[in-house]
Amino acid sequence: MKKYETVVFDLDGTLLNTLEDLADATNYALRTMQMPERTIVEVRAFVGNGVRRLMELSVPGGFDNPKFEETFAVFKKYYGEHCNDKTRAYDGVVPVLRKLKEKGYALAIVSNKIDFAVKELNEIYFEGIVQAAIGEREGVARKPAPDMVHTALAELGKPADTAVYIGDSDVDVMTAKNSGLPCISVLWGFRDKEFLMEHGATNFAEKPEDIVKFLEQ
């Protein structure tokens, strides 16, 4: 019997490189509201805790800015229409997901991205491969709370004790810990190995094929 039956993935920085589209939407909203724009390096550092947190860090003064909600609304509308302009799957990700599905693993995505965008991107890139895709929505606490992971496992009808979590950030390391799942941290995403180690990461994948090796070792 296999040690693992279910693989739960983060989305941004793990399966998809979404950084440019997030940065474009952020800067469109800031520009529209006559606020200073952010560099791609800044946006990379701001992502991981959902788009509201991304905008809190991007807007001068954050939530205290009287124009915050209006700016956030501009961001959400623009990103909803442009979430796949420059986004792409990381090299090797789709073949590895297909291989895992063929081997009988149940696959899920959990992301702090808005739920409709998570489902749309899952359909575009992983239709017929990933069975459950959970994003930020009412009634389900954002990562690093374990709620999204529990929701995904419930949708799949799988127990937590045969699941593994895969992500690229400190938020993902904490999510796995809070969910009681082992974690594999990928090194092609938005955070580097040193940063991840400082935040408790212990298992690493340098390329997507390493995930298969980890699961079957």
Side-chain angles (χ1 to χ4, degrees), residues 92 96 100 166 184-188 204-217:
V96 162
L100 292 175
I166 299 176
I184 304 172
S185 297
V186 307
L187 299 180
W188 56 81
F204 301 96
E206 292 187 358
K207 54 188 185 299
E209 294 78 12
D210 293 342
I211 294 168
V212 182
K213 292 176 189 172
F214 178 92
L215 294 172
E216 307 205 327
Q217 68 187 4

Side-chain angles (χ1 to χ4, degrees), residues 51-92:
V51 291
R52 190 174 180 85
R53 176 64 172 161
L54 166 61
M55 290 309 293
E56 179 197 2
L57 295 169
S58 299
V59 169
F63 294 144
D64 293 332
N65 190 310
K67 291 186 175 181
F68 176 82
E69 293 298 341
E70 189 179 353
T71 309
F72 185 41
V74 173
F75 169 92
K76 285 191 290 185
K77 184 176 188 301
Y78 184 92
Y79 188 67
E81 296 167 354
H82 298 273
C83 68
N84 195 40
D85 288 1
K86 299 175 182 175
T87 288
R88 61 175 179 81
Y90 287 103
D91 292 343

Side-chain angles (χ1 to χ4, degrees), residues 112-128:
N112 280 341
K113 186 187 291 293
I114 302 166
D115 191 61
F116 75 81
V118 175
K119 288 175 167 52
E120 180 180 335
L121 290 168
N122 183 45
E123 286 177 12
I124 292 169
Y125 290 96
F126 315 118
E127 187 175 14

